[in-house]
Amino acid sequence: GTLSPLTFSGAHPLPSTMSKSVTTVDVMGESFLAGASVFMYGCAVIGKTLLTKMCFSGYSFNYPITFSLFSCLTTMVACALVFMAGKAQFTMLPVHHFRGFAQISLLTALDMGFTNWSLDLISITLQMTIKAAIPAIVVSYERFILKKTHTQMAYLSLTPLILGAILVGLGSGSADYNFLGTMLMCIATIASSIKMVTTHSVIKQVRSEMGMVSFLFWLELAMVPILLPWAFFNGEIRWVRETTHLHAYLISL
């Protein structure tokens, strides 16, 4: 007859069966953590967007690039506290990854700056609708620039996102719409999409050499030389110095 995967003495499972069971548990655990991470990321993005809009509208802090700079400095301080607490190890940025890291820093600075600038001009609803096009842009970028193919189901799943963005755009009133704000958000969305693809590639290369907290620290630090001149030349630094906006800075924390 057919042998059972259990032995005759004590009905203990065979090593191969145990190995498969452990592998299944590991996969389920990783899937749960991945789903929880995506959920928490979504909550963080929505919460940050709402607080940023409140800062611009409720507190009249109309300095989006300076706000982005404050955000970078705050994140760097948070990373430094994590290092000091011994929860992560500080690692120098690998020189041979500087080119890819510079690309991510530039794209992230453009994404953050233009996103906050547009949020000062258009409604959250319209902004999030435009940002919903990110998956479509990512797939298009990988297909036509990186020559990476996807399944037909992946392409079909993008249809609701595109149609939804069009419908919300057509239904937006004059209070939601601003031409400059819409164009800025489109630029930010493109930068964010390319940044996602580039970041995924670079993280796969550097994760064996540095932790993600160190990666985040150097990313925020690299954006400061981009955002600081931007805020200076558009006059925001001078305007902020002439007024007191401590409450807005505290919100950016």
Side-chain angles (χ1 to χ4, degrees):
T2 304
L3 291 177
S4 169
L6 304 179
T7 61
F8 294 107
S9 58
H12 295 295
L14 295 174
S16 59
T17 305
M18 295 178 62
S19 177
K20 291 180 180 179
S21 300
V22 172
T23 302
T24 302
V25 172
D26 290 341
V27 171
M28 291 177 61
E30 291 178 358
S31 300
F32 174 78
L33 290 176
S37 299
V38 171
F39 175 77
M40 294 300 296
Y41 173 76
C43 292
V45 169
I46 294 173
K48 180 183 178 182
T49 302
L50 293 173
L51 288 175
T52 302
K53 186 64 175 179
M54 182 182 70
C55 182
F56 292 156
S57 302
Y59 294 96
S60 300
F61 188 83
N62 301 313
Y63 312 109
I65 308 304
T66 303
F67 188 89
S68 302
L69 181 61
F70 284 166
S71 179
C72 289
L73 297 175
T74 303
T75 304
M76 290 171 57
V77 172
C79 290
L81 292 176
V82 173
F83 295 139
M84 293 173 62
K87 300 299 183 181
Q89 182 179 3
F90 175 76
T91 309
M92 295 298 294
L93 178 66
V95 179
H96 52 282
H97 292 303
F98 179 79
R99 180 177 179 180
F101 197 83
Q103 294 176 351
I104 297 175
S105 302
L106 178 60
L107 290 170
T108 305
L110 293 175
D111 176 24
M112 183 183 296
F114 284 128
T115 295
N116 287 338
W117 190 355
S118 70
L119 191 58
D120 191 33
L121 300 173
I122 62 177
S123 67
I124 295 178
T125 303
L126 182 57
Q127 189 214 46
M128 296 302 289
T129 301
I130 298 174
K131 207 163 188 176
I134 287 180
I137 299 175
V138 168
V139 170
S140 300
Y141 179 79
E142 290 181 335
R143 176 67 181 87
F144 297 106
I145 303 300
L146 302 181
K147 306 301 180 182
K148 181 179 178 180
T149 58
H150 295 276
T151 62
Q152 185 177 7
M153 184 61 66
Y155 294 116
L156 291 176
S157 65
L158 300 176
T159 304
L161 295 176
I162 298 173
L163 292 178
I166 295 174
L167 292 175
V168 173
L170 294 175
S172 298
S174 58
D176 296 321
Y177 180 79
N178 177 280
F179 178 77
L180 176 60
T182 302
M183 292 299 102
L184 292 174
M185 193 58 218
C186 289
I187 296 174
T189 301
I190 295 173
S192 179
S193 303
I194 301 175
K195 176 197 69 177
M196 287 184 176
V197 178
T198 307
T199 302
H200 177 71
S201 175
V202 173
I203 287 180
K204 288 173 61 178
Q205 299 173 18
V206 305
R207 64 184 174 185
S208 61
E209 303 176 49
M210 64 188 305
M212 289 299 97
V213 179
S214 293
F215 182 89
L216 179 60
F217 176 83
W218 287 110
L219 176 63
E220 301 295 324
L221 180 61
M223 287 193 289
V224 172
I226 301 173
L227 295 172
L228 184 59
W230 189 355
F232 177 80
F233 286 113
N234 71 359
E236 287 188 9
I237 296 294
R238 176 174 55 84
W239 295 330
V240 171
R241 289 178 57 188
E242 294 175 355
T243 56
T244 302
H245 290 287
L246 179 60
H247 51 274
Y249 178 69
L250 293 177
I251 290 178
S252 71
L253 297 178

